[in-house]
Amino acid sequence: MSEQTSITSESVRGLFSQKNYIIPDYQRPYTWDEEQCENLWNDLIETFQEGEAADDKLKPYFLGSLVVYKENNSYYVVDGQQRLTSLLLLMKALFTFRNSYSAIEDLMYVKDDEKEIVKDKHRLTSNVIPLQNEPSDKEQLLEVLNIKTIEEIEAWSGNKEANRFQRNCAVFLERIKSACNPGNPLDKEHYKDFVTLFLDRVYVSFIVAGNNFHSALQIFYTLNARGIDLDPIDIIKARIYAKLNSQEKRGEFVRWWDSIRDKLNEYLDTYRILCQAKELANSDKRKDTLKFYEEEIRQNDVSVIIENIKKMEYCFNYIDDNINIQYWFKAVYSWPVNLLRYPCYAYIYKNISGADGEYSFTGSEQEAVKIIWNVMRFACPVGVVSKRRDKVDKSLYRACDHIMENKPMELPALDASYNNGAYVEDRFKEGLGWPAKYTQGILALYHVLNPKQQADKNLDGFDLPKFEIEHILPKADQHYDGWPEEEVWRKWWLGNQVLLTKKLNIKAKNEYFEKKKEEAYQHSSNKDVSDPENGLCSLSAWTPTECDERFEKITKRLCDFLYHGVDPAPAS
């Protein structure tokens, strides 16, 4: 660490006394939700009550760390802006509820040379770049801090038009009012004690990392490497931001980055895996996402890195917008191995043309679908027979590497010459009755291979990865529908299982078969359940015979696709 770095433990009072904070433009907007504010409040009240019980009203509470660097008499926040902003909102609520506490007011506002409070200057200023056509954090925070009455804050409670700053301040005020009701923790006698606890016994680790952004960023990175829960996305963002050479580029980058933040982990990790595919196919060593991008940023122009992430964003959006690929991905997403998706990602990524966000896909949609089919034809039998994901990993990495190198994708043929015939059809059938952790994926593949389901192509209500396994003969022992007791073991058999939405699964409960059809099955979007000609709803009873026949039906449909090269052909 630099000699200029200091680490102290600061109370809320010490944190805001004579210190001014700036949230830099590259930071993400304020994101704390109402639940996080309620959790903070509940922790503080619990700490206060525990201190009361122990006759120690000033029991300390540790809130986390704040990483800053100092420049021009202000502290620039590198990590901890969310909790710092929330502390300020709580101070505003505490002061507004009982505005006799000048100590709180002194901490929220800057004073002039005459030691008078300047109401339009606050201890915390946000320079976060807003998303397009959105009000800035600076404007929204300023509006909240300038509110004068309880009624104005209360008007934000439950108001869908209120922003996060307003809603969270209202949450704090509601909790304060509730705690001050007769019989609750904060009556008139205890309110002052609680404010003292908040100001003097709530601590953060205050880390001043030199006097420049790069020093603070290094501390931020070091803390992350030591296991403190900092988000790698923010480190990568800050690293790229620091290497951009104009304010205009920085502003464009921050707006774009924050607009796709919810998906960034997927984009970043997918691109990393595709770039490392050759290495991963030949070694068990891998760089994590943060280390990979640290190296990329050191070695490359960051505009190239941004371009590649934008192409990955387009890749995901193309899949989301393509109903044919999305349909087959329902089976892929249901499989407990994420790696099955990557060959398709690689193919689409390598067939993107254009630049700077203006892209088009120049490959074949049918080829992308065939890649999904061939990946399933390899991974499903190997997973079911071996029950080990590592048996497919290196082959799939190698397939990704071939595609990234513009070569045809190659996967092992599951014939008698591969691994001493371990994954031939007979072995697959033996393992199919009890696929264990692969049950969800096997059933999902069985359902998407249904010709009527393919012909429908209506994905509304057909999100198989979110479906649940329904046992047609219930797991609970009280309902056997007349089954011989020696046959009840079949309730765990694959032929006795199907995928239903959570809502319909609850409706099916542990009912008899006829009741299940009426209450749940006929309403399912899954054709293998609701089809009155070939689905479960076509059956008049559910006995061991129907269970075995269904298992044979599952086995045939899967083996035709997996082993006999029968490409899915939708019903006309």
PDB file of all heavy atoms in Angstrom, residues 99-130:
ATOM      1  N   ASN A  99     -36.984  17.678  14.403  1.00  0.00           N
ATOM      2  CA  ASN A  99     -35.951  18.570  13.887  1.00  0.00           C
ATOM      3  C   ASN A  99     -35.235  19.380  14.964  1.00  0.00           C
ATOM      4  O   ASN A  99     -34.717  20.463  14.715  1.00  0.00           O
ATOM      5  CB  ASN A  99     -36.520  19.517  12.821  1.00  0.00           C
ATOM      6  CG  ASN A  99     -37.665  20.361  13.370  1.00  0.00           C
ATOM      7  OD1 ASN A  99     -37.869  20.423  14.571  1.00  0.00           O
ATOM      8  ND2 ASN A  99     -38.392  20.996  12.471  1.00  0.00           N
ATOM      9  N   SER A 100     -35.208  18.821  16.168  1.00  0.00           N
ATOM     10  CA  SER A 100     -34.506  19.508  17.255  1.00  0.00           C
ATOM     11  C   SER A 100     -33.058  19.058  17.376  1.00  0.00           C
ATOM     12  O   SER A 100     -32.337  19.539  18.254  1.00  0.00           O
ATOM     13  CB  SER A 100     -35.235  19.257  18.585  1.00  0.00           C
ATOM     14  OG  SER A 100     -35.305  17.857  18.843  1.00  0.00           O
ATOM     15  N   TYR A 101     -32.638  18.136  16.517  1.00  0.00           N
ATOM     16  CA  TYR A 101     -31.277  17.601  16.620  1.00  0.00           C
ATOM     17  C   TYR A 101     -30.361  18.329  15.648  1.00  0.00           C
ATOM     18  O   TYR A 101     -30.171  17.925  14.501  1.00  0.00           O
ATOM     19  CB  TYR A 101     -31.274  16.093  16.368  1.00  0.00           C
ATOM     20  CG  TYR A 101     -31.951  15.341  17.478  1.00  0.00           C
ATOM     21  CD1 TYR A 101     -33.301  15.017  17.406  1.00  0.00           C
ATOM     22  CD2 TYR A 101     -31.245  14.992  18.623  1.00  0.00           C
ATOM     23  CE1 TYR A 101     -33.931  14.344  18.440  1.00  0.00           C
ATOM     24  CE2 TYR A 101     -31.865  14.318  19.665  1.00  0.00           C
ATOM     25  CZ  TYR A 101     -33.213  13.998  19.570  1.00  0.00           C
ATOM     26  OH  TYR A 101     -33.826  13.354  20.605  1.00  0.00           O
ATOM     27  N   SER A 102     -29.780  19.431  16.111  1.00  0.00           N
ATOM     28  CA  SER A 102     -28.901  20.220  15.254  1.00  0.00           C
ATOM     29  C   SER A 102     -27.648  19.449  14.867  1.00  0.00           C
ATOM     30  O   SER A 102     -27.034  19.716  13.837  1.00  0.00           O
ATOM     31  CB  SER A 102     -28.512  21.520  15.957  1.00  0.00           C
ATOM     32  OG  SER A 102     -27.852  21.241  17.194  1.00  0.00           O
ATOM     33  N   ALA A 103     -27.264  18.448  15.680  1.00  0.00           N
ATOM     34  CA  ALA A 103     -26.074  17.657  15.364  1.00  0.00           C
ATOM     35  C   ALA A 103     -26.246  16.946  14.028  1.00  0.00           C
ATOM     36  O   ALA A 103     -25.300  16.858  13.235  1.00  0.00           O
ATOM     37  CB  ALA A 103     -25.811  16.647  16.475  1.00  0.00           C
ATOM     38  N   ILE A 104     -27.452  16.438  13.767  1.00  0.00           N
ATOM     39  CA  ILE A 104     -27.699  15.766  12.490  1.00  0.00           C
ATOM     40  C   ILE A 104     -27.661  16.772  11.353  1.00  0.00           C
ATOM     41  O   ILE A 104     -27.067  16.529  10.298  1.00  0.00           O
ATOM     42  CB  ILE A 104     -29.055  15.034  12.508  1.00  0.00           C
ATOM     43  CG1 ILE A 104     -29.058  13.936  13.573  1.00  0.00           C
ATOM     44  CG2 ILE A 104     -29.350  14.437  11.130  1.00  0.00           C
ATOM     45  CD1 ILE A 104     -30.368  13.182  13.677  1.00  0.00           C
ATOM     46  N   GLU A 105     -28.276  17.917  11.567  1.00  0.00           N
ATOM     47  CA  GLU A 105     -28.297  18.950  10.533  1.00  0.00           C
ATOM     48  C   GLU A 105     -26.883  19.392  10.177  1.00  0.00           C
ATOM     49  O   GLU A 105     -26.553  19.592   9.006  1.00  0.00           O
ATOM     50  CB  GLU A 105     -29.123  20.142  11.015  1.00  0.00           C
ATOM     51  CG  GLU A 105     -29.430  21.146   9.921  1.00  0.00           C
ATOM     52  CD  GLU A 105     -30.369  22.239  10.409  1.00  0.00           C
ATOM     53  OE1 GLU A 105     -30.234  22.648  11.592  1.00  0.00           O
ATOM     54  OE2 GLU A 105     -31.214  22.672   9.632  1.00  0.00           O
ATOM     55  N   ASP A 106     -26.031  19.508  11.169  1.00  0.00           N
ATOM     56  CA  ASP A 106     -24.638  19.913  10.927  1.00  0.00           C
ATOM     57  C   ASP A 106     -23.899  18.897  10.062  1.00  0.00           C
ATOM     58  O   ASP A 106     -22.973  19.254   9.337  1.00  0.00           O
ATOM     59  CB  ASP A 106     -23.888  20.061  12.260  1.00  0.00           C
ATOM     60  CG  ASP A 106     -24.373  21.266  13.067  1.00  0.00           C
ATOM     61  OD1 ASP A 106     -25.062  22.119  12.473  1.00  0.00           O
ATOM     62  OD2 ASP A 106     -24.065  21.349  14.267  1.00  0.00           O
ATOM     63  N   LEU A 107     -24.288  17.628  10.166  1.00  0.00           N
ATOM     64  CA  LEU A 107     -23.610  16.584   9.401  1.00  0.00           C
ATOM     65  C   LEU A 107     -24.105  16.503   7.961  1.00  0.00           C
ATOM     66  O   LEU A 107     -23.386  16.025   7.084  1.00  0.00           O
ATOM     67  CB  LEU A 107     -23.809  15.227  10.080  1.00  0.00           C
ATOM     68  CG  LEU A 107     -23.242  15.087  11.501  1.00  0.00           C
ATOM     69  CD1 LEU A 107     -23.557  13.703  12.056  1.00  0.00           C
ATOM     70  CD2 LEU A 107     -21.751  15.331  11.517  1.00  0.00           C
ATOM     71  N   MET A 108     -25.330  16.943   7.719  1.00  0.00           N
ATOM     72  CA  MET A 108     -25.896  16.837   6.367  1.00  0.00           C
ATOM     73  C   MET A 108     -25.484  17.990   5.464  1.00  0.00           C
ATOM     74  O   MET A 108     -25.376  17.822   4.250  1.00  0.00           O
ATOM     75  CB  MET A 108     -27.428  16.785   6.439  1.00  0.00           C
ATOM     76  CG  MET A 108     -27.994  15.491   6.993  1.00  0.00           C
ATOM     77  SD  MET A 108     -29.783  15.357   6.721  1.00  0.00           S
ATOM     78  CE  MET A 108     -30.398  16.699   7.753  1.00  0.00           C
ATOM     79  N   TYR A 109     -25.284  19.176   6.042  1.00  0.00           N
ATOM     80  CA  TYR A 109     -25.082  20.370   5.236  1.00  0.00           C
ATOM     81  C   TYR A 109     -23.714  20.999   5.475  1.00  0.00           C
ATOM     82  O   TYR A 109     -23.138  20.898   6.555  1.00  0.00           O
ATOM     83  CB  TYR A 109     -26.163  21.407   5.551  1.00  0.00           C
ATOM     84  CG  TYR A 109     -27.567  20.918   5.291  1.00  0.00           C
ATOM     85  CD1 TYR A 109     -28.367  20.468   6.334  1.00  0.00           C
ATOM     86  CD2 TYR A 109     -28.083  20.890   4.000  1.00  0.00           C
ATOM     87  CE1 TYR A 109     -29.650  20.009   6.102  1.00  0.00           C
ATOM     88  CE2 TYR A 109     -29.375  20.422   3.757  1.00  0.00           C
ATOM     89  CZ  TYR A 109     -30.149  19.986   4.808  1.00  0.00           C
ATOM     90  OH  TYR A 109     -31.420  19.528   4.572  1.00  0.00           O
ATOM     91  N   VAL A 110     -23.211  21.686   4.460  1.00  0.00           N
ATOM     92  CA  VAL A 110     -21.955  22.432   4.552  1.00  0.00           C
ATOM     93  C   VAL A 110     -22.236  23.789   5.183  1.00  0.00           C
ATOM     94  O   VAL A 110     -23.298  24.381   4.977  1.00  0.00           O
ATOM     95  CB  VAL A 110     -21.348  22.621   3.143  1.00  0.00           C
ATOM     96  CG1 VAL A 110     -20.086  23.478   3.203  1.00  0.00           C
ATOM     97  CG2 VAL A 110     -21.047  21.262   2.524  1.00  0.00           C
ATOM     98  N   LYS A 111     -21.281  24.299   5.966  1.00  0.00           N
ATOM     99  CA  LYS A 111     -21.425  25.612   6.594  1.00  0.00           C
ATOM    100  C   LYS A 111     -20.536  26.633   5.888  1.00  0.00           C
ATOM    101  O   LYS A 111     -19.500  26.289   5.318  1.00  0.00           O
ATOM    102  CB  LYS A 111     -21.057  25.533   8.073  1.00  0.00           C
ATOM    103  CG  LYS A 111     -22.024  24.706   8.907  1.00  0.00           C
ATOM    104  CD  LYS A 111     -21.661  24.758  10.379  1.00  0.00           C
ATOM    105  CE  LYS A 111     -22.672  23.982  11.217  1.00  0.00           C
ATOM    106  NZ  LYS A 111     -22.356  24.032  12.661  1.00  0.00           N
ATOM    107  N   ASP A 112     -20.947  27.902   5.954  1.00  0.00           N
ATOM    108  CA  ASP A 112     -20.144  28.964   5.360  1.00  0.00           C
ATOM    109  C   ASP A 112     -19.099  29.451   6.356  1.00  0.00           C
ATOM    110  O   ASP A 112     -18.934  28.882   7.439  1.00  0.00           O
ATOM    111  CB  ASP A 112     -21.034  30.120   4.884  1.00  0.00           C
ATOM    112  CG  ASP A 112     -21.846  30.745   6.017  1.00  0.00           C
ATOM    113  OD1 ASP A 112     -21.459  30.550   7.212  1.00  0.00           O
ATOM    114  OD2 ASP A 112     -22.833  31.414   5.737  1.00  0.00           O
ATOM    115  N   ASP A 113     -18.411  30.513   5.994  1.00  0.00           N
ATOM    116  CA  ASP A 113     -17.336  31.036   6.851  1.00  0.00           C
ATOM    117  C   ASP A 113     -17.849  31.514   8.197  1.00  0.00           C
ATOM    118  O   ASP A 113     -17.094  31.575   9.177  1.00  0.00           O
ATOM    119  CB  ASP A 113     -16.606  32.173   6.143  1.00  0.00           C
ATOM    120  CG  ASP A 113     -15.843  31.682   4.917  1.00  0.00           C
ATOM    121  OD1 ASP A 113     -15.554  30.469   4.872  1.00  0.00           O
ATOM    122  OD2 ASP A 113     -15.560  32.492   4.016  1.00  0.00           O
ATOM    123  N   GLU A 114     -19.108  31.876   8.250  1.00  0.00           N
ATOM    124  CA  GLU A 114     -19.715  32.329   9.507  1.00  0.00           C
ATOM    125  C   GLU A 114     -20.327  31.177  10.293  1.00  0.00           C
ATOM    126  O   GLU A 114     -21.064  31.384  11.251  1.00  0.00           O
ATOM    127  CB  GLU A 114     -20.810  33.367   9.202  1.00  0.00           C
ATOM    128  CG  GLU A 114     -20.359  34.566   8.394  1.00  0.00           C
ATOM    129  CD  GLU A 114     -19.288  35.364   9.134  1.00  0.00           C
ATOM    130  OE1 GLU A 114     -19.385  35.460  10.370  1.00  0.00           O
ATOM    131  OE2 GLU A 114     -18.365  35.860   8.456  1.00  0.00           O
ATOM    132  N   LYS A 115     -20.032  29.947   9.879  1.00  0.00           N
ATOM    133  CA  LYS A 115     -20.542  28.749  10.526  1.00  0.00           C
ATOM    134  C   LYS A 115     -22.049  28.601  10.411  1.00  0.00           C
ATOM    135  O   LYS A 115     -22.690  27.919  11.214  1.00  0.00           O
ATOM    136  CB  LYS A 115     -20.138  28.687  12.005  1.00  0.00           C
ATOM    137  CG  LYS A 115     -18.640  28.797  12.258  1.00  0.00           C
ATOM    138  CD  LYS A 115     -17.883  27.667  11.578  1.00  0.00           C
ATOM    139  CE  LYS A 115     -16.379  27.768  11.829  1.00  0.00           C
ATOM    140  NZ  LYS A 115     -15.616  26.723  11.094  1.00  0.00           N
ATOM    141  N   GLU A 116     -22.623  29.251   9.381  1.00  0.00           N
ATOM    142  CA  GLU A 116     -24.042  29.118   9.117  1.00  0.00           C
ATOM    143  C   GLU A 116     -24.257  28.028   8.071  1.00  0.00           C
ATOM    144  O   GLU A 116     -23.477  27.895   7.120  1.00  0.00           O
ATOM    145  CB  GLU A 116     -24.622  30.450   8.619  1.00  0.00           C
ATOM    146  CG  GLU A 116     -24.594  31.573   9.645  1.00  0.00           C
ATOM    147  CD  GLU A 116     -25.507  31.293  10.825  1.00  0.00           C
ATOM    148  OE1 GLU A 116     -26.573  30.680  10.627  1.00  0.00           O
ATOM    149  OE2 GLU A 116     -25.140  31.686  11.958  1.00  0.00           O
ATOM    150  N   ILE A 117     -25.342  27.271   8.244  1.00  0.00           N
ATOM    151  CA  ILE A 117     -25.639  26.186   7.301  1.00  0.00           C
ATOM    152  C   ILE A 117     -26.053  26.746   5.945  1.00  0.00           C
ATOM    153  O   ILE A 117     -26.871  27.671   5.861  1.00  0.00           O
ATOM    154  CB  ILE A 117     -26.748  25.287   7.872  1.00  0.00           C
ATOM    155  CG1 ILE A 117     -26.181  24.452   9.028  1.00  0.00           C
ATOM    156  CG2 ILE A 117     -27.334  24.389   6.803  1.00  0.00           C
ATOM    157  CD1 ILE A 117     -27.215  23.668   9.767  1.00  0.00           C
ATOM    158  N   VAL A 118     -25.461  26.217   4.884  1.00  0.00           N
ATOM    159  CA  VAL A 118     -25.834  26.575   3.515  1.00  0.00           C
ATOM    160  C   VAL A 118     -26.718  25.452   2.980  1.00  0.00           C
ATOM    161  O   VAL A 118     -26.251  24.346   2.708  1.00  0.00           O
ATOM    162  CB  VAL A 118     -24.581  26.748   2.622  1.00  0.00           C
ATOM    163  CG1 VAL A 118     -25.002  27.180   1.214  1.00  0.00           C
ATOM    164  CG2 VAL A 118     -23.624  27.755   3.235  1.00  0.00           C
ATOM    165  N   LYS A 119     -28.005  25.709   2.851  1.00  0.00           N
ATOM    166  CA  LYS A 119     -28.979  24.644   2.587  1.00  0.00           C
ATOM    167  C   LYS A 119     -28.824  23.982   1.217  1.00  0.00           C
ATOM    168  O   LYS A 119     -29.292  22.873   1.013  1.00  0.00           O
ATOM    169  CB  LYS A 119     -30.409  25.200   2.708  1.00  0.00           C
ATOM    170  CG  LYS A 119     -30.821  25.532   4.126  1.00  0.00           C
ATOM    171  CD  LYS A 119     -31.022  24.275   4.952  1.00  0.00           C
ATOM    172  CE  LYS A 119     -31.614  24.580   6.310  1.00  0.00           C
ATOM    173  NZ  LYS A 119     -31.874  23.368   7.087  1.00  0.00           N
ATOM    174  N   ASP A 120     -28.178  24.666   0.268  1.00  0.00           N
ATOM    175  CA  ASP A 120     -28.053  24.028  -1.037  1.00  0.00           C
ATOM    176  C   ASP A 120     -26.682  23.385  -1.233  1.00  0.00           C
ATOM    177  O   ASP A 120     -26.313  22.999  -2.338  1.00  0.00           O
ATOM    178  CB  ASP A 120     -28.320  25.034  -2.162  1.00  0.00           C
ATOM    179  CG  ASP A 120     -27.347  26.210  -2.141  1.00  0.00           C
ATOM    180  OD1 ASP A 120     -26.610  26.341  -1.138  1.00  0.00           O
ATOM    181  OD2 ASP A 120     -27.334  26.981  -3.113  1.00  0.00           O
ATOM    182  N   LYS A 121     -25.925  23.242  -0.150  1.00  0.00           N
ATOM    183  CA  LYS A 121     -24.643  22.550  -0.207  1.00  0.00           C
ATOM    184  C   LYS A 121     -24.649  21.405   0.795  1.00  0.00           C
ATOM    185  O   LYS A 121     -24.828  21.631   1.990  1.00  0.00           O
ATOM    186  CB  LYS A 121     -23.490  23.511   0.088  1.00  0.00           C
ATOM    187  CG  LYS A 121     -23.258  24.547  -1.003  1.00  0.00           C
ATOM    188  CD  LYS A 121     -22.010  25.370  -0.724  1.00  0.00           C
ATOM    189  CE  LYS A 121     -21.749  26.366  -1.852  1.00  0.00           C
ATOM    190  NZ  LYS A 121     -20.527  27.173  -1.605  1.00  0.00           N
ATOM    191  N   HIS A 122     -24.446  20.209   0.279  1.00  0.00           N
ATOM    192  CA  HIS A 122     -24.554  19.029   1.131  1.00  0.00           C
ATOM    193  C   HIS A 122     -23.217  18.309   1.226  1.00  0.00           C
ATOM    194  O   HIS A 122     -22.320  18.513   0.412  1.00  0.00           O
ATOM    195  CB  HIS A 122     -25.621  18.086   0.573  1.00  0.00           C
ATOM    196  CG  HIS A 122     -26.939  18.764   0.349  1.00  0.00           C
ATOM    197  ND1 HIS A 122     -27.282  19.315  -0.856  1.00  0.00           N
ATOM    198  CD2 HIS A 122     -27.972  18.997   1.188  1.00  0.00           C
ATOM    199  CE1 HIS A 122     -28.484  19.859  -0.763  1.00  0.00           C
ATOM    200  NE2 HIS A 122     -28.928  19.684   0.466  1.00  0.00           N
ATOM    201  N   ARG A 123     -23.129  17.450   2.225  1.00  0.00           N
ATOM    202  CA  ARG A 123     -21.884  16.723   2.449  1.00  0.00           C
ATOM    203  C   ARG A 123     -21.610  15.677   1.367  1.00  0.00           C
ATOM    204  O   ARG A 123     -20.490  15.225   1.213  1.00  0.00           O
ATOM    205  CB  ARG A 123     -21.928  16.030   3.817  1.00  0.00           C
ATOM    206  CG  ARG A 123     -21.934  16.977   5.003  1.00  0.00           C
ATOM    207  CD  ARG A 123     -20.625  17.715   5.109  1.00  0.00           C
ATOM    208  NE  ARG A 123     -20.619  18.656   6.228  1.00  0.00           N
ATOM    209  CZ  ARG A 123     -19.684  19.558   6.431  1.00  0.00           C
ATOM    210  NH1 ARG A 123     -18.683  19.661   5.559  1.00  0.00           N
ATOM    211  NH2 ARG A 123     -19.740  20.379   7.472  1.00  0.00           N
ATOM    212  N   LEU A 124     -22.658  15.297   0.632  1.00  0.00           N
ATOM    213  CA  LEU A 124     -22.508  14.269  -0.400  1.00  0.00           C
ATOM    214  C   LEU A 124     -23.071  14.782  -1.715  1.00  0.00           C
ATOM    215  O   LEU A 124     -24.222  15.204  -1.786  1.00  0.00           O
ATOM    216  CB  LEU A 124     -23.245  12.981   0.013  1.00  0.00           C
ATOM    217  CG  LEU A 124     -23.230  11.828  -0.990  1.00  0.00           C
ATOM    218  CD1 LEU A 124     -21.800  11.334  -1.215  1.00  0.00           C
ATOM    219  CD2 LEU A 124     -24.100  10.686  -0.501  1.00  0.00           C
ATOM    220  N   THR A 125     -22.258  14.735  -2.751  1.00  0.00           N
ATOM    221  CA  THR A 125     -22.673  15.132  -4.091  1.00  0.00           C
ATOM    222  C   THR A 125     -22.433  13.974  -5.050  1.00  0.00           C
ATOM    223  O   THR A 125     -21.357  13.363  -5.037  1.00  0.00           O
ATOM    224  CB  THR A 125     -21.875  16.362  -4.579  1.00  0.00           C
ATOM    225  OG1 THR A 125     -22.080  17.442  -3.677  1.00  0.00           O
ATOM    226  CG2 THR A 125     -22.320  16.776  -5.976  1.00  0.00           C
ATOM    227  N   SER A 126     -23.424  13.666  -5.869  1.00  0.00           N
ATOM    228  CA  SER A 126     -23.281  12.581  -6.837  1.00  0.00           C
ATOM    229  C   SER A 126     -23.087  13.147  -8.231  1.00  0.00           C
ATOM    230  O   SER A 126     -23.895  13.940  -8.715  1.00  0.00           O
ATOM    231  CB  SER A 126     -24.519  11.680  -6.823  1.00  0.00           C
ATOM    232  OG  SER A 126     -24.414  10.701  -7.830  1.00  0.00           O
ATOM    233  N   ASN A 127     -21.991  12.741  -8.867  1.00  0.00           N
ATOM    234  CA  ASN A 127     -21.736  13.119 -10.259  1.00  0.00           C
ATOM    235  C   ASN A 127     -21.983  11.962 -11.221  1.00  0.00           C
ATOM    236  O   ASN A 127     -21.507  11.975 -12.359  1.00  0.00           O
ATOM    237  CB  ASN A 127     -20.289  13.604 -10.413  1.00  0.00           C
ATOM    238  CG  ASN A 127     -20.062  14.959  -9.759  1.00  0.00           C
ATOM    239  OD1 ASN A 127     -21.003  15.708  -9.529  1.00  0.00           O
ATOM    240  ND2 ASN A 127     -18.812  15.271  -9.439  1.00  0.00           N
ATOM    241  N   VAL A 128     -22.708  10.935 -10.745  1.00  0.00           N
ATOM    242  CA  VAL A 128     -22.969   9.751 -11.567  1.00  0.00           C
ATOM    243  C   VAL A 128     -23.657  10.167 -12.861  1.00  0.00           C
ATOM    244  O   VAL A 128     -24.623  10.944 -12.850  1.00  0.00           O
ATOM    245  CB  VAL A 128     -23.842   8.735 -10.795  1.00  0.00           C
ATOM    246  CG1 VAL A 128     -24.300   7.612 -11.712  1.00  0.00           C
ATOM    247  CG2 VAL A 128     -23.068   8.170  -9.610  1.00  0.00           C
ATOM    248  N   ILE A 129     -23.161   9.642 -13.972  1.00  0.00           N
ATOM    249  CA  ILE A 129     -23.752   9.955 -15.272  1.00  0.00           C
ATOM    250  C   ILE A 129     -25.086   9.223 -15.394  1.00  0.00           C
ATOM    251  O   ILE A 129     -25.138   7.997 -15.274  1.00  0.00           O
ATOM    252  CB  ILE A 129     -22.810   9.525 -16.409  1.00  0.00           C
ATOM    253  CG1 ILE A 129     -21.500  10.326 -16.329  1.00  0.00           C
ATOM    254  CG2 ILE A 129     -23.463   9.714 -17.771  1.00  0.00           C
ATOM    255  CD1 ILE A 129     -20.433   9.862 -17.288  1.00  0.00           C
ATOM    256  N   PRO A 130     -26.186   9.945 -15.612  1.00  0.00           N
ATOM    257  CA  PRO A 130     -27.497   9.274 -15.670  1.00  0.00           C
ATOM    258  C   PRO A 130     -27.690   8.537 -16.985  1.00  0.00           C
ATOM    259  O   PRO A 130     -27.022   8.824 -17.990  1.00  0.00           O
ATOM    260  CB  PRO A 130     -28.482  10.443 -15.561  1.00  0.00           C
ATOM    261  CG  PRO A 130     -27.737  11.611 -16.137  1.00  0.00           C
ATOM    262  CD  PRO A 130     -26.283  11.402 -15.784  1.00  0.00           C
TER     263      PRO A 130
END
